[in-house]
Amino acid sequence: MENHSMATATPENKDSFAASGNADEKQSKALVNDNEKGGIKTMPFILLNEICEKLAMVGFSKNMVNYLTQQLHMPLTKAANTVTNFNGTSSLTPLLGAFIADSYAGKFWTITVSTAIYLAGMIVLTLSAALPQLRPPPCAGDQVCQEANGSQTAVLYLSLLFAALGSGGIRPCVAAFGAEQFVEEDPTQPKKTWVFFNWYYFGLGVSILLASTVLVYIQDNVGWSWGLGIPTLAMALSIIVFLIGYPVYRNLDPAGSPYTRVLQVSVAAFRKRKIPSISDPKFLYVNEELDASISTDGLLHHSKQLKFLDKAAIVTEEDSLKSSEKPNFWRLNTVHRVEELKSILRMLPIWAAGILFATSNAQQNTFSLQQANTMERHLTKSFVIPSASMSVFGMLSMLITIVLYDRLLVRVARRITGLERGINFLQRMAIGFFIAIIATMVAGFVEVKRKHAASASGLIDSPESTIPISVFWLVPQYSLHGIAEAFMVIGHLEFFYNQAPESMRSTATALFWTSISAGDYTSTLLVTLVHKYSDWLPNRNLNKGKLEYFYWLLTLLQALNIVYYLICAKFYTFKPLSHKTQHVEGVELTTQV
């Protein structure tokens, strides 16, 4: 049985390493050139690109339920499910985008092409809003509205399909690509990835804030052709900005399909399922040279969990491995490759905990928006707050929380915990889960207050009438959701990036979006079942429903979910990584475990 490993670089052998011929000299120059790229100077291009993209994405999706009910005359539950299905699909396609980025195209080109695809969808959508023949005729008062016909709906779904496909390449790659501009183990880098994730999400929040105010106001008061045309131009601008930054980006080459490696480890472990396990992990197959392209940050060490997968790294006589041969990965894998799969499997329980958070969050764009439609929204006699703009309070709360977290909370917590980031991402997520429970519970009580005002004014049977209760009663639920998002969503995103194997970071970021996708689909399922088997969610008259019961059902489910999450977090094992820090130009080479 052969155990392949490479010598560890130490201060004693640094001179021989640095003077090993032309090949090593070229490699050193490449390292120097690579180190000159990336860092803080790339952030204006990446963050401005993200702001423009999100301005376009949110510019439509934030107000989509109003567009579907008011312009295409869809029933409320159908419109709500269309919104959540679109959001769910947009959060599911990142698995495909991550596969393409990690396996073939790289993150830069995947982002560029995907943005162009999304732009095509926005152009089709803008045309559908601008051309009268692509939407049903308007109606007013008690007139029976004609719902969009098949061809008009087909144009809508075509634009949504392009948008969902474009999202698939953008969402898993932008955050990972931005974080890769910083070498976490390099002390010369002025920023850390956890700081990037805070400000990445801050930039995202700014774009959502603009979309929820300026664009929504234009859509409601100027027209949908302008309201969609502006974000379409923003999407086109984002491509230009992103391409301008190309010379300063750190572009890591794709390391091959992570899905293939995961499948190879699974097949190899299954083939060797009947052989006895090895008690001493030092006899498992290790080959640093073979794993060099997928372990530039360091090799993953053997962990004690999921030991049945270790059999994929046991060398048997049938493997007939020679020192100069590359193994058949469908029979034999290195410990690093086995640990890649273990890392992904260990993350899945934490991934699942994010589903109900996304389900609760989805209601801000559906039923919370419909609540706002029925309430008094006048700031002055002539100015009415667009119902979709109520989410601005969630965004403001999120942005303020991010700033306070980065500038105040981290510094205070650092003195207590000793951690550079103040609290770890698992603790940050737990705080977000707890605040989200309070937000949903508060939403139920606000709905009780809204219906009581409708009943006192004799407007229960008048769904089109404005109930004499201020729309600002919705501010607490929106704000609490925003605070929860600043903790849970950023912590969740950081968790996936930090704990994923380096060659699977786009895939791991895609997992983050698939938890949101699963949450949106769960919302669709819950809304469908509740609508079918109860009178809680009526199609036309929210005043006659029992929306508060639906909110409290979500509160109960989230309470159970946080118990599940705390159990998962308690037993979670962080990935076992040895950091290899290389410095050229006469600085010593060390390995940190």
Side-chain angles (χ1 to χ4, degrees):
M1 183 181 301
E2 294 187 77
N3 185 33
H4 294 256
S5 61
M6 296 178 66
T8 300
T10 63
E12 290 74 21
N13 63 14
K14 65 182 179 181
D15 293 332
S16 62
F17 181 90
S20 59
N22 292 332
D24 290 341
E25 184 178 352
K26 291 179 180 178
Q27 183 180 12
S28 296
K29 290 180 179 179
L31 284 170
V32 173
N33 291 334
D34 187 63
N35 287 336
E36 291 175 351
K37 294 186 176 184
I40 196 68
K41 60 181 173 290
T42 64
M43 291 303 98
F45 303 104
I46 295 174
L47 292 180
L48 186 58
N49 167 265
E50 180 67 8
I51 288 173
C52 290
E53 288 172 346
K54 285 299 180 290
L55 188 67
M57 293 180 184
V58 180
F60 175 60
S61 61
K62 205 70 179 176
N63 208 16
M64 188 191 296
V65 73
N66 277 344
Y67 181 78
L68 298 179
T69 55
Q70 297 172 11
Q71 300 295 316
L72 300 185
H73 307 150
M74 281 188 182
L76 175 57
T77 52
K78 182 179 179 181
N81 284 343
T82 299
V83 172
T84 52
N85 285 339
F86 166 69
N87 291 335
T89 303
S90 297
S91 300
L92 190 61
T93 52
L95 286 173
L96 175 61
F99 171 75
I100 294 172
D102 285 340
S103 305
Y104 305 108
K107 298 179 182 65
F108 174 83
W109 289 112
T110 302
I111 294 170
T112 303
V113 174
S114 298
T115 305
I117 294 173
Y118 202 109
L119 177 60
M122 289 298 298
I123 292 173
V124 173
L125 191 60
T126 303
L127 289 175
S128 70
L131 301 177
Q133 59 267 36
L134 294 181
R135 63 181 187 274
C139 62
D142 296 330
Q143 180 182 353
V144 177
C145 299
Q146 177 184 331
E147 190 174 344
N149 59 36
S151 60
Q152 293 165 342
T153 305
V155 171
L156 169 72
Y157 289 155
L158 177 65
S159 64
L160 296 183
L161 175 62
F162 276 116
L165 290 175
S167 295
I170 296 169
R171 290 183 173 183
C173 296
V174 171
F177 183 72
E180 284 177 355
Q181 305 307 310
F182 303 100
V183 182
E184 187 75 17
E185 291 77 31
D186 187 351
T188 65
Q189 291 289 346
K191 295 288 181 180
K192 294 291 184 180
T193 55
W194 66 270
V195 177
F196 164 75
F197 281 119
N198 275 342
W199 292 106
Y200 161 79
Y201 214 77
F202 183 89
L204 190 150
V206 168
S207 62
I208 295 175
L209 187 63
L210 290 173
S212 302
T213 52
V214 177
L215 287 182
V216 167
Y217 180 82
I218 292 172
Q219 289 165 357
D220 285 356
N221 296 277
V222 179
W224 279 92
S225 56
W226 278 102
L228 294 175
I230 292 173
T232 300
L233 292 174
M235 182 65 78
L237 177 63
S238 73
I239 301 178
I240 298 172
V241 170
F242 190 65
L243 289 173
I244 291 174
Y246 179 78
V248 297
Y249 296 144
R250 289 182 71 233
N251 283 307
L252 304 184
D253 293 330
S257 170
Y259 300 154
T260 300
R261 291 198 301 276
V262 164
L263 185 59
Q264 287 172 333
V265 172
S266 302
V267 170
F270 180 78
R271 282 182 168 180
K272 296 179 179 179
R273 64 191 182 281
K274 294 182 180 179
I275 66 174
S277 300
I278 291 179
S279 57
D280 192 343
K282 72 180 182 181
F283 294 111
L284 296 174
Y285 181 59
V286 176
N287 190 325
E288 293 187 23
E289 184 177 2
L290 192 63
D291 291 334
S293 64
I294 58 174
S295 62
T296 54
D297 285 354
L299 284 174
L300 292 169
H301 290 297
H302 176 264
S303 61
K304 296 180 181 180
Q305 291 79 25
L306 305 169
K307 289 185 177 181
F308 63 93
L309 292 175
D310 291 341
K311 295 184 178 182
I314 297 176
V315 182
T316 64
E317 293 182 359
E318 295 179 10
D319 295 315
S320 62
L321 187 67
K322 296 180 181 179
S323 59
S324 60
E325 289 182 346
K326 191 176 182 179
N328 176 5
F329 291 125
W330 297 100
R331 286 199 54 84
L332 177 65
N333 284 268
T334 62
V335 169
H336 180 85
R337 293 167 187 250
V338 171
E339 290 299 324
E340 281 188 326
L341 176 55
K342 285 187 181 182
S343 296
I344 294 296
L345 292 177
R346 281 196 295 263
M347 290 192 297
L348 290 181
I350 303 294
W351 168 87
I355 293 175
L356 279 174
F357 181 92
T359 300
S360 172
N361 233 22
Q363 311 316 314
Q364 294 184 84
N365 296 329
T366 55
F367 293 110
S368 293
L369 189 146
Q370 288 301 306
Q371 285 177 292
N373 281 338
T374 68
M375 302 169 79
E376 177 55 60
R377 293 182 281 121
H378 280 87
L379 278 184
T380 65
K381 290 183 178 180
S382 59
F383 182 79
V384 179
I385 302 174
S387 56
S389 291
M390 288 303 297
S391 60
V392 70
F393 294 101
M395 290 301 103
L396 283 174
S397 299
M398 183 191 74
L399 295 177
I400 293 170
T401 303
I402 291 174
V403 173
L404 292 177
Y405 181 93
D406 188 72
R407 297 299 176 186
L408 181 62
L409 179 59
V410 168
R411 296 179 183 181
V412 174
R414 188 182 292 156
R415 297 176 182 177
I416 301 173
T417 65
L419 295 175
E420 183 183 6
R421 53 170 42 96
I423 57 176
N424 66 39
F425 33 74
L426 293 178
Q427 294 166 334
R428 184 171 185 169
M429 290 166 60
I431 295 172
F433 280 128
F434 179 75
I435 297 173
I437 293 174
I438 299 175
T440 313
M441 181 170 59
V442 167
F445 287 115
V446 172
E447 174 61 6
V448 172
K449 176 74 175 178
R450 188 193 69 84
K451 286 170 54 181
H452 177 75
S455 177
S457 303
L459 298 175
I460 289 292
D461 296 316
S462 303
E464 302 298 328
S465 299
T466 298
I467 300 170
I469 178 174
S470 173
V471 74
F472 292 111
W473 277 94
L474 297 177
V475 170
Q477 68 196 60
Y478 276 105
S479 297
L480 286 169
H481 273 295
I483 296 170
E485 196 170 346
F487 281 95
M488 190 277 165
V489 175
I490 299 177
H492 210 200
L493 183 60
E494 186 186 359
F495 164 77
F496 282 116
Y497 182 85
N498 185 281
Q499 290 299 292
E502 66 180 75
S503 61
M504 297 185 180
R505 281 171 177 164
S506 293
T507 302
T509 310
L511 281 177
F512 163 78
W513 288 108
T514 56
S515 69
I516 297 176
S517 172
D520 287 324
Y521 286 130
T522 301
S523 176
T524 297
L525 178 63
L526 277 176
V527 169
T528 302
L529 292 177
V530 169
H531 177 68
K532 183 176 181 179
Y533 295 108
S534 75
D535 59 351
W536 295 1
L537 304 174
N539 264 327
R540 297 297 179 187
N541 190 351
L542 198 63
N543 299 333
K544 286 191 171 182
K546 295 181 176 64
L547 179 60
E548 67 274 19
Y549 290 175
F550 180 69
Y551 281 136
W552 290 336
L553 173 62
L554 283 175
T555 302
L556 175 61
L557 292 175
Q558 288 183 96
L560 296 175
N561 185 60
I562 196 173
V563 174
Y564 161 79
Y565 169 77
L566 291 174
I567 294 172
C568 293
K570 179 178 177 60
F571 292 101
Y572 180 76
T573 300
F574 291 87
K575 71 176 182 182
L577 177 69
S578 64
H579 297 300
K580 296 187 295 184
T581 305
Q582 288 191 340
H583 300 277
V584 295
E585 306 257 344
V587 183
E588 64 184 40
L589 299 161
T590 60
T591 298
Q592 297 178 334
V593 179

